[in-house]
Amino acid sequence: ENLKSTYTQRKLDELINSNPPATKEGLNNFSNQFQEIISDAAKKSLRIKKTKYRNKITNVCNKKWFDKECRLKRHFVRKLANQKHRDPLNSEIRKKYHEALKIYKDTLKHKKEIFHEKKLEDLEIAAETDPNSFWKNLKNMSDSCDDLSSSSTQITNQKWISHFENLHTKHNLGPKQEGILKNLELLENNIDDDNTLDDPITEDDIISAATKLKHKKSAYSDRIRNEMIKSSVNILLKGYH
């Protein structure tokens, strides 16, 4: 492909149109220039672009398992790192730094494993004893302190009603919108005639809704997948009672 490039073709045209003298020196010069053009094209063809990957820096300070012991070890590692930068040729300080860094990383790994093992044990116990706490623990499985799944913003019903009432108050309604409002008022007045939605939810309704869930769908922020609901519908029924 580089031989067909505009740059290479222009160089070849210039070389051909240069009219070299029909002497030994002229032919050698012509041959050397032609060889340089071919070599340059070959080098460009063999040039491989290397993708540089940078290690993702994760902030472990906001993890739930990052306790006082981890902070002290991190402080000690940073102290040795500053000493190493001040005296980079000191092999003893460098050795202490790498040893402390290894201990710090091992501590983080150990703390993280203990945290997740404890969470899994809590889930297993809750699944057997208390289904309600099972889902609560599942939502709090994240080890991040700023996890948004545990925070809930409660909005009152009156706030929702006032929001939608004032949503289009500044707009004038046309005949079509007025007709829609009248139909809604009629449906609201006749709501007692068709109150199937007010009937209590039965076990058959829950089982029917669970069986209609599709597989391999992404979970919401609560991390509850459809497969989990379908496989634990019997546990959910116990919590429903």
Side-chain angles (χ1 to χ4, degrees), residues 146-176:
D146 54 356
D147 185 21
L148 299 178
S149 61
S150 59
S151 62
S152 59
T153 55
Q154 297 293 336
I155 301 177
T156 60
N157 296 334
Q158 188 60 36
K159 192 171 183 179
W160 279 112
I161 294 172
S162 61
H163 168 72
F164 286 105
E165 284 180 348
N166 300 326
L167 190 60
H168 298 292
T169 53
K170 297 181 180 179
H171 300 279
N172 296 324
L173 300 178
K176 188 175 181 179

Side-chain angles (χ1 to χ4, degrees), residues 95-111:
K95 182 179 179 181
K96 289 182 179 179
Y97 167 75
H98 289 292
E99 290 177 353
L101 182 62
K102 185 178 183 303
I103 295 173
Y104 173 63
K105 289 183 177 180
D106 292 341
T107 304
L108 294 181
K109 184 179 179 181
H110 181 63
K111 294 288 184 180

Side-chain angles (χ1 to χ4, degrees), residues 33-208:
Q33 292 181 12
F34 180 77
Q35 186 177 358
E36 289 177 1
I37 294 173
I38 299 300
S39 299
D40 185 56
K43 289 179 181 178
K44 290 181 179 179
S45 299
L46 294 174
R47 187 176 297 169
I48 301 173
K49 294 183 179 180
K50 294 183 179 180
T51 305
K52 295 182 179 179
Y53 295 98
R54 184 179 179 183
N55 294 331
K56 185 178 179 181
I57 301 174
T58 56
N59 186 14
V60 296
C61 300
N62 60 347
K63 302 298 182 182
K64 296 177 182 178
W65 44 264
F66 193 83
D67 54 5
K68 184 178 180 180
E69 182 183 359
C70 297
R71 285 194 294 271
L72 292 175
K73 291 185 182 299
R74 184 186 62 177
H75 177 72
F76 183 65
V77 170
R78 288 181 175 178
K79 184 178 179 181
L80 290 175
N82 293 332
Q83 295 178 6
K84 180 172 66 72
H85 289 310
R86 294 192 193 99
D87 190 5
L89 300 179
N90 193 328
S91 59
E92 185 177 353
I93 294 177
R94 296 179 69 88
K95 182 179 179 181
K96 289 182 179 179
Y97 167 75
H98 289 292
E99 290 177 353
L101 182 62
K102 185 178 183 303
I103 295 173
Y104 173 63
K105 289 183 177 180
D106 292 341
T107 304
L108 294 181
K109 184 179 179 181
H110 181 63
K111 294 288 184 180
K112 185 177 180 180
E113 289 176 353
I114 292 177
F115 175 81
H116 288 292
E117 287 177 0
K118 180 68 169 57
K119 285 292 183 180
L120 290 175
E121 290 178 1
D122 294 342
L123 282 178
E124 291 176 357
I125 296 172
E128 297 175 356
T129 58
D130 189 3
N132 294 327
S133 63
F134 172 82
W135 298 112
K136 185 178 180 181
N137 291 332
L138 186 64
K139 291 180 180 179
N140 297 326
M141 278 293 291
S142 175
D143 57 356
S144 179
C145 293
D146 54 356
D147 185 21
L148 299 178
S149 61
S150 59
S151 62
S152 59
T153 55
Q154 297 293 336
I155 301 177
T156 60
N157 296 334
Q158 188 60 36
K159 192 171 183 179
W160 279 112
I161 294 172
S162 61
H163 168 72
F164 286 105
E165 284 180 348
N166 300 326
L167 190 60
H168 298 292
T169 53
K170 297 181 180 179
H171 300 279
N172 296 324
L173 300 178
K176 188 175 181 179
Q177 286 79 12
E178 292 288 349
I180 294 173
L181 288 177
K182 289 181 180 179
N183 291 332
L184 289 175
E185 290 177 359
L186 291 174
L187 292 173
E188 187 176 356
N189 294 330
N190 299 329
I191 195 171
D192 295 333
D193 299 336
D194 187 15
N195 57 353
T196 55
L197 295 177
D198 295 333
D199 295 339
I201 300 174
T202 62
E203 292 185 1
D204 294 335
D205 295 334
I206 297 175
I207 296 173
S208 176

Side-chain angles (χ1 to χ4, degrees), residues 209-222:
T211 53
K212 292 179 181 179
L213 294 174
K214 296 182 179 180
H215 290 273
K216 297 181 180 179
K217 297 295 181 180
S218 60
Y220 191 57
S221 60
D222 54 6

